[in-house]
Amino acid sequence: MTNSNSRQSEYPVDPLFLDRWSPRAFDGGAMPHEHLLTILDAAHWAPSASNQQPWRFVYAHKDSENWPLFVELLVEANQRWAKNASVLLFVISRSYNISREGEKKPSGTHSFDAGAAWFSLAMQAHLLGYHAHGMAGILKDQIVEKLDVPDGYKVEAAVAIGTMTDKGVLPDDLAEREVPSKRLPLSDVAFEGRFIVKAD
Ligand SMILES: Cc1cc2nc3c(=O)[nH]c(=O)nc-3n(C[C@H](O)[C@H](O)[C@H](O)COP(=O)(O)O)c2cc1C
């Protein structure tokens, strides 16, 4: 087992996996652009089916011209805390593959691949001393319209990245929840040989 970040794994996983978590208390500071590009570079080294690299990222730095719009594209519950991040970005995936002959074919894995990229992004952010917090609470139709997302692309999620600070900056209800979460027992999610319905 590994103990780290008030979490305990069942097996000796690297502490890195326990130390990454999704806080909401961010200090509102600026992130050097070089750091953001390093984080996105890591994300796009993720594996993808046939190396199609279907992920796309649209970002805004805090206090940039686009920042107010990016905050507005989150549901209110997320705006409350994510407005203090250093960067907001949307993860978008291309829903088709392009064959060697240049034909477009529906992709069965674009969301899975984009998920791998998001996790790489989160880990690189962590390694640079930041925290990344994924968000499904976003206004997808408005994102498509306002950010010019073309047909054939799916808005997957948003990510807030920033420097964690004291939970005292949060409204009380969010401050109470500002602790690294636990996980289901491994035996509820990993099965030998056949699927077993658990944790339902
Ligand atoms: C795709 C995705 C969507 C999420 N959506 C939200 C969200 O809209 N608002 C929020 O506060 N947290 C959101 N989260 C954060 C999760 O609640 C969090 O990752 C989960 O509880 C596990 O905690 P940990 O990341 O601290 O380990 C999201 C995370 C992911 C990966």
Side-chain angles (χ1 to χ4, degrees):
M1 77 173 68
T2 305
N3 283 291
S4 198
N5 196 21
S6 78
R7 292 166 147 177
Q8 189 179 79
S9 63
E10 294 173 49
Y11 292 87
V13 304
D14 193 283
L16 184 66
F17 294 96
L18 304 181
D19 290 343
R20 181 223 57 84
W21 71 293
S22 306
R24 294 186 178 85
F26 289 118
D27 73 359
M31 179 189 295
H33 192 50
E34 192 73 13
H35 284 183
L36 175 59
L37 294 180
T38 302
I39 288 166
L40 294 173
D41 194 355
H44 99 307
W45 282 100
S48 60
S50 306
N51 200 19
Q52 288 276 323
Q53 305 166 60
W55 42 73
R56 302 289 184 270
F57 311 99
V58 185
Y59 60 79
H61 280 279
K62 180 139 204 295
D63 295 335
S64 66
E65 185 192 344
N66 291 311
W67 184 257
L69 170 63
F70 275 51
V71 173
E72 272 173 31
L73 295 172
L74 310 176
V75 298
E76 241 175 82
N78 285 330
Q79 289 184 16
R80 292 173 75 207
W81 56 270
K83 63 178 187 213
N84 290 325
S86 306
V87 166
L88 285 173
L89 63 87
F90 295 101
V91 181
I92 294 162
S93 68
R94 194 185 65 192
S95 64
Y96 54 86
N97 290 338
I98 302 183
S99 71
R100 290 213 179 97
E101 296 74 38
E103 268 179 83
K104 290 182 182 178
K105 300 228 167 102
S107 162
T109 60
H110 59 98
S111 292
F112 185 82
D113 295 338
W118 131 253
F119 191 67
S120 299
L121 177 163
M123 284 310 214
Q124 182 63 70
H126 174 72
L127 290 167
L128 286 171
Y130 299 103
H131 285 77
H133 193 138
M135 287 172 278
I138 56 177
L139 307 178
K140 289 194 177 179
D141 292 346
Q142 287 194 41
I143 292 164
V144 168
E145 186 196 325
K146 302 260 170 70
L147 304 187
D148 302 330
V149 179
D151 285 349
Y153 286 78
K154 180 184 174 200
V155 178
E156 300 282 359
V159 183
I161 314 173
T163 301
M164 189 172 68
T165 189
D166 191 90
K167 66 183 180 180
V169 301
L170 291 170
D172 288 349
D173 59 322
L174 293 182
E176 272 169 32
R177 294 163 56 196
E178 191 73 343
V179 277
S181 55
K182 307 277 184 254
R183 290 298 183 266
L184 295 167
L186 186 59
S187 58
D188 278 12
V189 300
F191 319 117
E192 185 171 5
R194 293 288 183 283
F195 194 96
I196 301 168
V197 178
K198 286 197 174 176
D200 274 13

